[in-house]
Amino acid sequence: MVSALASVATDDHARLRLWLRLLRTTRAIERQLRERLADAFDTTLPRFDVMAALDRAPEGMMMGELSRFLLVSNGNVTGIVERLVSDGLIARGHRDGDRRAAIVRLTPAGRTQFATMAAAHARWIDELLAPIDPATAQDITATLTAFRSQWEKEA
Amino acid sequence: MVSALASVATDDHARLRLWLRLLRTTRAIERQLRERLADAFDTTLPRFDVMAALDRAPEGMMMGELSRFLLVSNGNVTGIVERLVSDGLIARGHRDGDRRAAIVRLTPAGRTQFATMAAAHARWIDELLAPIDPATAQDITATLTAFRSQWEKEA
């Protein structure tokens, strides 16, 4: 019994330590990306994230889809979208001519600007994660992908 | 030459995929924690993070130390600290009686409340990360810890 309890305690600890490390690594990389996006492109990480999501959706996305994809609230996305529209980088439209299905999509100018930023972003990530060899990166990605469970799908 | 170039492309891809997965996993877990902290304790994740940082520093932390530890801006922390002070959960003071070294620390009430929340938080993490076995969790933690490089220490 004692060893079973000890094992449970260790298990908890391993997952909690992993979570704290995931959080710290992610925040440190995000801080780097934030600084580099500001320096190189005078833009922000949330703007980049919105443009990245729309770049994967040539037919555009509804605001609710965009929020769910980014895992942030609709309210947060609205202000970013409005500024990107006024900057001419994204445009509003309707899906399949359905006036109830309002969508946003990248403009050609937005797509061009995003391609330049995405290439820099990929180089930065490769540099920041350089100590992790590609095979290990693949293993960790597989573990974390397999772990997408019910609660993530619902999120 | 072709295979060397192909290998470089694959390497870039593996790290970029890992980064996107880290980000998505972290955001999904944070969303879960945010909802559970609100439901169970009527509190927020930034409040929990500030209290967690102070729980590890019985002698208190200066505001700058707290911001650096949390990897957020000093401005963001200030408002959270002010509300925790008015709730009686943290208190202002000075380190070693030095009036220039203003610090904040948990009050006894704050320490008690945090202990209850921390126990629930550890259970939630163990549940949310249940599909990752403890040995794998330790391996991933080790990889991500080894990878703390110069740019993270500077952050």
Side-chain angles (χ1 to χ4, degrees):
Chain A
M1 284 303 284
V2 170
S3 69
L5 285 170
S7 155
V8 169
T10 306
D11 289 7
D12 287 10
H13 195 62
R15 294 196 184 97
L16 190 56
R17 273 174 52 86
L18 172 59
W19 166 242
L20 296 174
R21 177 46 49 194
L22 285 173
L23 201 55
R24 201 152 180 85
T25 301
T26 306
R27 287 188 183 171
I29 293 175
E30 279 192 313
R31 171 180 277 218
Q32 280 290 319
L33 293 176
R34 201 172 288 124
E35 289 175 4
R36 292 175 188 214
L37 283 169
D39 288 350
F41 299 109
D42 193 25
T43 193
T44 65
L45 197 49
R47 275 171 72 101
F48 180 83
D49 287 344
V50 166
M51 293 179 77
L54 294 178
D55 189 62
R56 293 168 173 221
E59 318 226 315
M61 292 175 94
M62 292 193 285
M63 290 297 289
E65 292 174 326
L66 189 53
S67 296
R68 276 194 300 280
F69 183 81
L70 297 171
L71 299 180
V72 298
S73 76
N74 222 321
N76 290 343
V77 171
T78 303
I80 297 160
V81 162
E82 278 167 9
R83 283 192 295 278
L84 286 167
V85 168
S86 64
D87 290 346
L89 298 171
I90 72 178
R92 297 182 195 283
H94 294 93
R95 179 168 291 166
D96 304 327
D98 179 351
R99 293 192 62 83
R100 289 162 305 181
I103 51 136
V104 289
R105 63 163 72 89
L106 288 177
T107 61
R111 200 164 292 281
T112 303
Q113 189 186 102
F114 180 74
T116 308
M117 294 195 299
H121 174 269
R123 282 196 307 275
W124 296 335
I125 290 296
D126 204 49
E127 175 196 329
L128 294 167
L129 297 185
I132 302 181
D133 67 83
T136 304
Q138 272 177 352
D139 285 350
I140 298 177
T141 304
T143 300
L144 296 178
T145 303
F147 134 93
R148 273 185 303 187
S149 53
Q150 195 52 38
W151 57 267
E152 185 179 359
K153 290 188 196 99
E154 284 167 1
Chain B
M1 282 305 285
V2 169
S3 70
L5 284 170
S7 155
V8 168
T10 306
D11 289 9
D12 287 11
H13 196 61
R15 294 195 184 98
L16 190 56
R17 273 174 52 87
L18 171 59
W19 166 241
L20 296 174
R21 178 46 48 195
L22 285 174
L23 201 54
R24 202 152 179 85
T25 302
T26 306
R27 286 188 185 172
I29 294 175
E30 280 192 312
R31 172 180 277 218
Q32 279 291 318
L33 293 176
R34 202 173 289 124
E35 289 174 4
R36 292 176 187 214
L37 283 170
D39 288 350
F41 299 109
D42 193 24
T43 193
T44 65
L45 196 50
R47 275 171 71 100
F48 179 84
D49 287 345
V50 165
M51 292 179 77
L54 294 178
D55 189 63
R56 294 168 172 221
E59 318 226 314
M61 292 175 93
M62 293 193 284
M63 289 297 289
E65 291 174 327
L66 190 54
S67 296
R68 274 193 301 280
F69 183 81
L70 299 171
L71 298 181
V72 298
S73 77
N74 220 322
N76 290 342
V77 171
T78 303
I80 297 159
V81 162
E82 278 167 11
R83 283 192 295 280
L84 287 166
V85 167
S86 65
D87 291 347
L89 298 171
I90 71 176
R92 297 183 196 281
H94 294 94
R95 179 168 291 165
D96 303 328
D98 179 351
R99 294 192 62 82
R100 289 161 305 179
I103 52 137
V104 289
R105 63 163 72 88
L106 288 177
T107 62
R111 199 164 292 281
T112 303
Q113 189 186 101
F114 180 74
T116 307
M117 295 195 298
H121 174 269
R123 282 195 307 275
W124 296 335
I125 290 296
D126 204 49
E127 175 196 330
L128 294 167
L129 298 186
I132 301 181
D133 69 82
T136 304
Q138 273 177 351
D139 284 350
I140 299 177
T141 304
T143 300
L144 295 178
T145 303
F147 133 91
R148 273 187 303 187
S149 54
Q150 194 53 39
W151 57 267
E152 186 180 0
K153 291 189 194 99
E154 283 167 359

